[in-house]
């Protein structure tokens, strides 16, 4: 059975630009690994206009930063994962979790059906509603 990815863009707020959240199997991966108050990457960084998203999976393994605690990644470290495509499967593995404010257990390894994963990334790339609210 494959895991299911949903990418959500949170509205920009007074402190931060629009940010991404990654829900896998109905759970917020960032909140689970960096606790409440943590944030995802800025939407504009991961979903750049006119270029493919960094989330697109290729056969070459790539480490992506997916989140950071409220105190910032520069201070306490980032939540990151290795993304790689293996034929019809996209794998998220080899998690790094911030050691502070309290060490969390890394998320499990996720395996996505590549067609569902690709469709969700393409949907997030195409839905630019958050740029209007800058």
């Amino acid at each position: 059975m494959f895991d299911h990815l949903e990418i959500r863009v949170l509205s920009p707020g007074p402190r931060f630009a629009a940010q991404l959240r990654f829900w896998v199997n109905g759970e917020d991966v960032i909140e689970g690994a960096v606790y409440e108050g943590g944030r995802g990457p800025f939407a504009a960084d991961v979903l750049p206009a006119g270029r493919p998203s960094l989330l697109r999976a290729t056969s070459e393994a790539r480490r992506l930063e997916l989140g950071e605690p409220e105190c910032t990644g520069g201070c306490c470290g980032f939540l990151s994962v290795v993304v790689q495509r293996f034929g019809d499967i996209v794998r998220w593995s080899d998690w790094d979790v911030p050691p502070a404010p309290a060490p969390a257990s890394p998320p499990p390894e996720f395996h996505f059906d590549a067609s569902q994963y690709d469709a969700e990334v393409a949907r997030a790339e195409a839905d630019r509603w958050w740029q209007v609210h800058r």
Side-chain angles (χ1 to χ4, degrees):
M1 177 126 186
F2 289 112
D3 295 294
H4 181 80
L5 175 67
E6 182 182 349
I7 302 167
R8 297 182 186 176
V9 179
L10 301 183
S11 297
R15 283 186 59 201
F16 296 112
Q19 60 178 287
L20 297 181
R21 296 302 275 237
F22 305 94
W23 288 70
V24 177
N25 304 326
E27 298 201 19
D28 184 340
V29 173
I30 295 167
E31 186 172 306
V34 299
Y35 303 108
E36 190 174 337
R39 68 173 187 84
F42 294 126
D45 293 340
V46 180
L47 303 171
R51 293 188 321 219
S53 167
L54 298 173
L55 292 168
R56 288 197 184 181
T58 67
S59 59
E60 184 175 325
R62 180 174 56 245
R63 181 164 292 281
L64 296 179
E65 291 176 358
L66 298 185
E68 62 185 303
E70 187 173 25
C71 61
T72 78
C75 169
C76 297
F78 292 92
L79 172 67
S80 68
V81 66
V82 172
V83 177
Q84 187 172 11
R85 177 184 298 273
F86 297 92
D88 293 336
I89 298 171
V90 174
R91 180 177 75 185
W92 283 12
S93 63
D94 301 310
W95 291 91
D96 280 339
V97 296
S105 298
E109 190 169 282
F110 294 122
H111 298 92
F112 304 103
D113 173 79
S115 60
Q116 186 273 322
Y117 183 92
D118 291 344
E120 180 61 6
V121 171
R123 184 201 60 75
E125 289 174 329
D127 188 0
R128 315 291 303 174
W129 70 265
W130 48 271
Q131 287 183 313
V132 176
H133 298 288
R134 283 186 164 183

